[in-house]
PDB file of all heavy atoms in Angstrom:
ATOM      1  N   GLU A1092      75.019 180.464 105.030  1.00 95.00           N
ATOM      2  CA  GLU A1092      75.601 181.111 103.833  1.00 95.00           C
ATOM      3  C   GLU A1092      77.094 180.786 103.732  1.00 95.00           C
ATOM      4  O   GLU A1092      77.604 180.544 102.619  1.00 95.00           O
ATOM      5  CB  GLU A1092      75.385 182.613 103.906  1.00 95.00           C
ATOM      6  CG  GLU A1092      73.927 183.050 103.864  1.00 95.00           C
ATOM      7  CD  GLU A1092      73.217 182.907 105.207  1.00 95.00           C
ATOM      8  OE1 GLU A1092      73.902 182.692 106.226  1.00 95.00           O
ATOM      9  OE2 GLU A1092      71.971 183.027 105.216  1.00 95.00           O
ATOM     10  N   SER A1093      77.791 180.780 104.853  1.00 94.00           N
ATOM     11  CA  SER A1093      79.232 180.474 104.825  1.00 94.00           C
ATOM     12  C   SER A1093      79.486 179.037 104.423  1.00 94.00           C
ATOM     13  O   SER A1093      80.415 178.741 103.676  1.00 94.00           O
ATOM     14  CB  SER A1093      79.842 180.724 106.202  1.00 94.00           C
ATOM     15  OG  SER A1093      79.732 182.073 106.565  1.00 94.00           O
ATOM     16  N   MET A1094      78.651 178.119 104.900  1.00 96.00           N
ATOM     17  CA  MET A1094      78.812 176.720 104.548  1.00 96.00           C
ATOM     18  C   MET A1094      78.569 176.494 103.046  1.00 96.00           C
ATOM     19  O   MET A1094      79.284 175.714 102.408  1.00 96.00           O
ATOM     20  CB  MET A1094      77.878 175.860 105.398  1.00 96.00           C
ATOM     21  CG  MET A1094      78.319 175.702 106.832  1.00 96.00           C
ATOM     22  SD  MET A1094      79.810 174.696 107.006  1.00 96.00           S
ATOM     23  CE  MET A1094      79.129 173.046 106.788  1.00 96.00           C
ATOM     24  N   VAL A1095      77.567 177.160 102.503  1.00 96.00           N
ATOM     25  CA  VAL A1095      77.305 177.022 101.071  1.00 96.00           C
ATOM     26  C   VAL A1095      78.473 177.609 100.262  1.00 96.00           C
ATOM     27  O   VAL A1095      78.940 176.971  99.297  1.00 96.00           O
ATOM     28  CB  VAL A1095      75.994 177.711 100.701  1.00 96.00           C
ATOM     29  CG1 VAL A1095      75.851 177.861  99.172  1.00 96.00           C
ATOM     30  CG2 VAL A1095      74.802 176.924 101.244  1.00 96.00           C
ATOM     31  N   ASP A1096      78.955 178.765 100.658  1.00 94.00           N
ATOM     32  CA  ASP A1096      80.099 179.356  99.935  1.00 94.00           C
ATOM     33  C   ASP A1096      81.336 178.474 100.043  1.00 94.00           C
ATOM     34  O   ASP A1096      82.068 178.284  99.075  1.00 94.00           O
ATOM     35  CB  ASP A1096      80.407 180.740 100.508  1.00 94.00           C
ATOM     36  CG  ASP A1096      79.373 181.782 100.107  1.00 94.00           C
ATOM     37  OD1 ASP A1096      78.601 181.512  99.170  1.00 94.00           O
ATOM     38  OD2 ASP A1096      79.316 182.847 100.727  1.00 94.00           O
ATOM     39  N   ALA A1097      81.589 177.899 101.226  1.00 94.00           N
ATOM     40  CA  ALA A1097      82.744 177.026 101.418  1.00 94.00           C
ATOM     41  C   ALA A1097      82.592 175.771 100.575  1.00 94.00           C
ATOM     42  O   ALA A1097      83.593 175.289  99.967  1.00 94.00           O
ATOM     43  CB  ALA A1097      82.870 176.658 102.881  1.00 94.00           C
ATOM     44  N   ALA A1098      81.397 175.207 100.504  1.00 96.00           N
ATOM     45  CA  ALA A1098      81.172 174.023  99.692  1.00 96.00           C
ATOM     46  C   ALA A1098      81.411 174.316  98.224  1.00 96.00           C
ATOM     47  O   ALA A1098      82.007 173.501  97.505  1.00 96.00           O
ATOM     48  CB  ALA A1098      79.748 173.507  99.903  1.00 96.00           C
ATOM     49  N   ARG A1099      81.003 175.474  97.770  1.00 95.00           N
ATOM     50  CA  ARG A1099      81.246 175.859  96.360  1.00 95.00           C
ATOM     51  C   ARG A1099      82.738 175.980  96.098  1.00 95.00           C
ATOM     52  O   ARG A1099      83.233 175.637  95.015  1.00 95.00           O
ATOM     53  CB  ARG A1099      80.523 177.146  96.050  1.00 95.00           C
ATOM     54  CG  ARG A1099      79.007 176.969  95.907  1.00 95.00           C
ATOM     55  CD  ARG A1099      78.307 178.280  95.704  1.00 95.00           C
ATOM     56  NE  ARG A1099      76.877 178.097  95.410  1.00 95.00           N
ATOM     57  CZ  ARG A1099      75.933 178.975  95.712  1.00 95.00           C
ATOM     58  NH1 ARG A1099      76.256 180.113  96.298  1.00 95.00           N
ATOM     59  NH2 ARG A1099      74.681 178.728  95.409  1.00 95.00           N
ATOM     60  N   MET A1100      83.487 176.507  97.079  1.00 94.00           N
ATOM     61  CA  MET A1100      84.935 176.601  96.936  1.00 94.00           C
ATOM     62  C   MET A1100      85.579 175.227  96.928  1.00 94.00           C
ATOM     63  O   MET A1100      86.485 174.955  96.137  1.00 94.00           O
ATOM     64  CB  MET A1100      85.519 177.489  98.010  1.00 94.00           C
ATOM     65  CG  MET A1100      85.060 178.930  97.924  1.00 94.00           C
ATOM     66  SD  MET A1100      85.736 179.976  99.240  1.00 94.00           S
ATOM     67  CE  MET A1100      87.409 180.207  98.616  1.00 94.00           C
ATOM     68  N   ALA A1101      85.120 174.343  97.790  1.00 95.00           N
ATOM     69  CA  ALA A1101      85.638 172.968  97.786  1.00 95.00           C
ATOM     70  C   ALA A1101      85.317 172.283  96.465  1.00 95.00           C
ATOM     71  O   ALA A1101      86.102 171.463  95.955  1.00 95.00           O
ATOM     72  CB  ALA A1101      85.043 172.180  98.955  1.00 95.00           C
ATOM     73  N   ASP A1102      84.164 172.601  95.892  1.00 96.00           N
ATOM     74  CA  ASP A1102      83.773 172.059  94.598  1.00 96.00           C
ATOM     75  C   ASP A1102      84.759 172.496  93.500  1.00 96.00           C
ATOM     76  O   ASP A1102      84.941 171.802  92.500  1.00 96.00           O
ATOM     77  CB  ASP A1102      82.364 172.566  94.273  1.00 96.00           C
ATOM     78  CG  ASP A1102      81.622 171.671  93.298  1.00 96.00           C
ATOM     79  OD1 ASP A1102      81.890 170.451  93.264  1.00 96.00           O
ATOM     80  OD2 ASP A1102      80.754 172.183  92.566  1.00 96.00           O
ATOM     81  N   ARG A1103      85.394 173.643  93.701  1.00 95.00           N
ATOM     82  CA  ARG A1103      86.354 174.182  92.749  1.00 95.00           C
ATOM     83  C   ARG A1103      87.783 174.112  93.279  1.00 95.00           C
ATOM     84  O   ARG A1103      88.646 174.884  92.891  1.00 95.00           O
ATOM     85  CB  ARG A1103      86.014 175.654  92.448  1.00 95.00           C
ATOM     86  CG  ARG A1103      84.655 175.862  91.823  1.00 95.00           C
ATOM     87  CD  ARG A1103      84.280 177.363  91.819  1.00 95.00           C
ATOM     88  NE  ARG A1103      85.335 178.150  91.250  1.00 95.00           N
ATOM     89  CZ  ARG A1103      85.740 179.339  91.752  1.00 95.00           C
ATOM     90  NH1 ARG A1103      85.178 179.813  92.873  1.00 95.00           N
ATOM     91  NH2 ARG A1103      86.704 180.029  91.151  1.00 95.00           N
ATOM     92  N   ALA A1104      88.051 173.148  94.169  1.00 94.00           N
ATOM     93  CA  ALA A1104      89.332 173.124  94.886  1.00 94.00           C
ATOM     94  C   ALA A1104      90.517 172.983  93.914  1.00 94.00           C
ATOM     95  O   ALA A1104      91.567 173.574  94.153  1.00 94.00           O
ATOM     96  CB  ALA A1104      89.349 171.976  95.875  1.00 94.00           C
TER      97      ALA A1104
END
Side-chain angles (χ1 to χ4, degrees):
E1092 296 79 12
S1093 298
M1094 286 291 283
V1095 167
D1096 287 343
R1099 286 176 174 151
M1100 295 179 77
D1102 204 28
R1103 298 169 51 222

